């Protein structure tokens, strides 16, 4: 067991509805194109596969996908959409859990490496990816760039969404590199809001490159989004690709 927080049944049951926009073809299509190209004719392993938002449509494109997921509730939601023989999933953490065989692609999307709350565990996640990769295979991570430039002096909170039905803001522990995402969500029309929060360890792109080096992986590509927009100092997130030597 790692330091990742477990997703509850209630959170898992809401996940697909809350992420409907991010599951649309317009949003998801470029990610699937990117990942399918890297997988080629080989197999793909998704760390923290969740309810299958990415893994299921990637499998439908003809890429054999295997998943690792810590939350049994998230896997139960996935199982309502696809069976085990079509998309096998192993319950376990992404830092230490292994599955049989090797893969041309291991990927970890949507900021999920930040669910590992220590640097050591994040390093082990890279090592676990390398352990599963074939020679020449790639490890892909999608991760936001810490928005610390938005912090005024002496402040530790940054809003990231202020809308009619949702208020979201992040607070930062700058010593431990811990970010807490706070959410106030209005589910109905009675004026009441549901409050939730989650902890994450943020990491800079250069720190991830060092983790990859420790795991024996070399940098291949870094872009700002799945469409391949160049990554700059103003990019709010990055898609990074590291390669295992052939």
């Amino acid at each position: 067991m790692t330091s990742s927080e477990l997703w509850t049944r209630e959170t898992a049951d809401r996940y697909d509805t809350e992420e409907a926009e991010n599951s649309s073809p317009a949003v998801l299509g470029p990610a699937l194109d990117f990942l399918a190209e890297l997988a080629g004719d080989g197999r793909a392993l998704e760390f923290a596969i969740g309810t299958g938002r990415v893994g299921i449509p990637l499998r439908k494109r003809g890429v054999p996908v295997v998943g690792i997921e810590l939350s049994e509730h998230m896997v139960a939601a996935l199982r309502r959409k696809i069976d085990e023989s079509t998309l096998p999933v192993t319950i376990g953490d992404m830092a230490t859990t292994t599955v049989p065989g090797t893969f041309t692609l291991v990927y970890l999307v949507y900021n999920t490496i930040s669910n590992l709350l220590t640097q050591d565990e994040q390093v082990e996640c890279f090592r676990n990816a390398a352990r599963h990769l074939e020679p020449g295979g790639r490890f892909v991570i999608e991760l936001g760039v810490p928005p610390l430039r938005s912090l005024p002096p002496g402040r530790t909170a940054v809003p990231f969404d202020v809308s009619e039905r949702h208020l979201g803001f992040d607070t930062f522990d700058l010593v431990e590199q811990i970010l807490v995402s706070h959410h106030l969500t209005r589910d109905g029309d009675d004026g009441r809001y549901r409050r939730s929060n989650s902890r994450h360890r943020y990491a800079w792109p250069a720190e991830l490159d060092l983790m990859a080096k420790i795991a024996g992986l070399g940098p291949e590509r870094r872009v700002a989004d799945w469409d391949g927009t160049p990554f700059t100092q103003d990019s709010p997130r990055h898609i990074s690709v590291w390669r295992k030597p052939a």
Side-chain angles (χ1 to χ4, degrees):
M1 177 68 71
T2 69
S3 59
S4 295
E5 297 176 349
L6 275 172
W7 290 57
T8 65
R9 175 179 285 109
E10 291 76 13
T11 302
D13 289 344
R14 288 194 304 264
Y15 185 82
D16 286 339
T17 299
E18 293 180 345
E19 295 299 330
E21 181 178 351
N22 287 324
S23 302
S24 67
V27 174
L28 201 53
L32 298 175
D33 292 340
F34 192 106
L35 295 171
E37 181 180 357
L38 289 182
D41 296 328
R43 300 195 305 156
L45 171 62
E46 180 171 357
F47 285 171
I49 194 170
T51 66
R53 182 183 68 91
V54 176
I56 292 175
L58 186 62
R59 180 65 184 89
K60 290 180 178 179
R61 289 197 176 200
V63 178
V65 176
V66 175
I68 293 174
E69 171 58 44
L70 185 61
S71 170
E72 295 183 10
H73 301 299
M74 297 291 275
V75 176
L78 178 148
R79 282 287 161 255
R80 292 194 284 268
K81 296 177 280 186
I82 194 166
D83 61 72
E84 172 72 18
S85 62
T86 305
L87 201 166
V89 176
T90 297
I91 302 294
D93 70 84
M94 56 189 162
T96 63
T97 301
T98 59
V99 297
T102 57
F103 302 82
T104 58
L105 173 67
V106 178
Y107 64 95
L108 180 54
V109 299
Y110 211 26
N111 303 320
T112 312
I113 193 171
S114 69
N115 290 359
L116 298 170
L117 299 180
T118 69
Q119 186 182 68
D120 286 344
E121 288 174 352
Q122 291 178 351
V123 169
E124 288 306 313
C125 182
F126 273 83
R127 285 178 166 152
N128 200 28
R131 179 180 303 131
H132 285 93
L133 285 173
E134 298 178 0
R138 276 95 170 186
F139 182 35
V140 176
I141 282 182
E142 175 189 22
L143 185 63
V145 177
L148 301 189
R149 293 166 64 186
S150 301
L151 280 176
R155 302 292 179 88
T156 59
V158 174
F160 61 83
D161 183 37
V162 180
S163 58
E164 182 180 355
R165 307 191 75 88
H166 179 255
L167 170 63
F169 62 95
D170 293 330
T171 55
F172 295 86
D173 180 333
L174 302 181
V175 175
E176 299 296 332
Q177 286 185 216
I178 295 296
L179 172 161
V180 181
S181 280
H182 304 264
H183 303 267
L184 291 171
T185 306
R186 191 169 73 182
D187 290 327
D189 295 321
D190 58 3
R192 291 186 296 178
Y193 282 77
R194 170 172 46 85
R195 181 176 180 177
S196 62
N197 61 70
S198 58
R199 294 187 302 151
H200 308 270
R201 182 185 186 273
Y202 63 85
W204 301 96
E207 186 180 3
L208 298 181
D209 285 341
L210 183 56
M211 294 180 188
K213 185 175 182 179
I214 291 171
L217 305 176
E220 182 174 82
R221 186 182 182 194
R222 175 167 289 131
V223 291
D225 54 37
W226 296 109
D227 289 313
T229 303
F231 179 75
T232 71
Q233 65 179 3
D234 296 317
S235 299
R237 64 170 177 157
H238 61 96
I239 315 297
S240 294
V241 182
W242 299 272
R243 187 170 183 265
K244 186 173 183 176

